[in-house]
Amino acid sequence: MRIPTYRAYTLSNLDQIPQISSLSARQRRAIEVVGRVLPFKTNNYVIDELIDWTRVPDDPLFRLTFPQEEMLDPVHFVRLQRALSTNGHERALRRIADEIRLMLNPHPAGQLEYNVPSLAGRRLPGVQHKYRETVLFFPSAGQTCHAYCSFCFRWPQFVGMNGFKFAMRETESLVAYLEQHPEVTDVLFTGGDPLVMKTRILRRYVEPLLQADLPGLTSLRFGTKALSFWPYRFLDGQEGEALLALFRRVVDSGKHLAVMAHFSHPRELSTPAAQEAIARIRATGAEIRTQSPILRHINDDADTWARLWQEQVRQGCVPYYMFVVRDTGAQRYFGVPLVRAWRIFKQAYERVSGLARTVRGPSMSTTHGKVQVVGVTEVAGEKALVLNWLQARDPDWVMRPFLAQYDEQALWLDELVPFNSAGWEFDPGAGEYDRNLAA
Ligand SMILES: *Cc1c(COP(=O)(O)O)cnc(C)c1O
Ligand code: SF4
């Protein structure tokens, strides 16, 4: 297979995208305006192998990385467009973009403050420990991606706003923390995308975990969208080989290695490069589990999800989560109401065999845990939504279903009303995004 050289495209070299001339002036303008607020980066693989340029701008894979006018509030869009067309100063433009960005709620419900553990009284800023068994780790060298999803709420990490960056240079304090927390079975490397790191850097993070005496640690996971955005990461000569060798080392050490792959659309599984990469990863003994949010304009129909799960199973991947997106970034553009998300999930789930029914969802990641929309039922003649905790800060809540009043419009838990007049015992106003949402 011919491996192309990685080439990133951002606002600064938009003109060099060969297919860009097929866009109308207005579509192009929209990229330039909206790309000031939402991070825009795509690459030659996404452009040449994933996007169907005959269907642009409606193509789901185009929308996945290219900003669209409708992703911003019209008032914000006009304000920024005006500043741009009057040749505003770079600094003034940046200030407007920052203001809009802050209004888009970069870290819902104080994510920066929650779940950051301490070690000997010192906070560990690159670590998040929310659920007893699993620690999230944000290696500082992995805080970017091979391309950016236009819906991604992690953009504060990419656009260089001070203080927003989760980072940790050393694995040492993570190891020390794990030594004190034998209840932790899983370390999940996340980002950004930890697989943007060169293998020798990644090895520096992983090997101390294998060498340390951590008998309780059974599983390492890498959250990644590299299989969708740059599958050559696993195929490219020495770098690819070295990464697969590292995977084998983890497996040979007796630990479970899970690649938590973010796939939003079946087309991402269709290219020869993606299929070859999946096969090579599986040959190392690593498992590939898959997850994605449900997104309006990209994958909000049952047929797409059924095909997505079936194709994953065919290639030996294990469907894992369908997530719900919440109010940050361009949620109004991408948001799917909970009832509709459940209906799509159900219709897709009905159509696939048990091998694909390992998937769980639709799931909201809230301050208190992951809440699944189980379905719609009737209690004493009244329609109700059944919800369930898949994960909870308090493990006792897990698998305790609860009820909300039926609501076709609600996009998130905090818009639902408890079915019982006594209310619910958690504070639904607080909401938090799942750092494990995607990559
Ligand atoms: C989803 C998630 C995890 C992992 O949960 P699993 O159900 O074990 O996959 C860990 N930490 C946070 C904060 C999460 O949102
Ligand atoms: S969803 Fe994942 S791959 Fe996409 S931009 Fe966000 S962190 Fe990167």
Side-chain angles (χ1 to χ4, degrees), residues 23-39:
L23 297 186
S24 69
R26 179 166 181 167
Q27 285 157 5
R28 220 205 117 117
R29 191 84 191 139
I31 298 170
E32 283 162 353
V33 174
V34 180
R36 291 254 165 185
V37 176
L38 306 174

Side-chain angles (χ1 to χ4, degrees), residues 260-274:
M260 309 301 292
H262 171 197
F263 288 114
S264 326
H265 193 277
R267 207 184 294 160
E268 296 167 321
L269 289 140
S270 71
T271 70

Side-chain angles (χ1 to χ4, degrees), residues 287-320:
E287 291 284 348
I288 302 174
R289 295 179 200 275
T290 62
Q291 53 196 29
S292 173
I294 178 166
L295 303 156
R296 196 153 67 91
H297 302 298
I298 291 187
N299 62 15
D300 60 333
D301 65 277
D303 181 57
T304 299
W305 281 91
R307 284 190 295 127
L308 186 63
W309 295 333
Q310 279 163 335
E311 188 53 29
Q312 287 164 358
V313 168
R314 190 183 73 76
Q315 295 188 45
C317 307
V318 183
Y320 193 64

Side-chain angles (χ1 to χ4, degrees), residues 144-156:
T144 183
C145 312
H146 290 102
Y148 296 149
C149 307
S150 46
F151 64 82
C152 183
F153 58 91
R154 283 183 223 195
W155 38 264

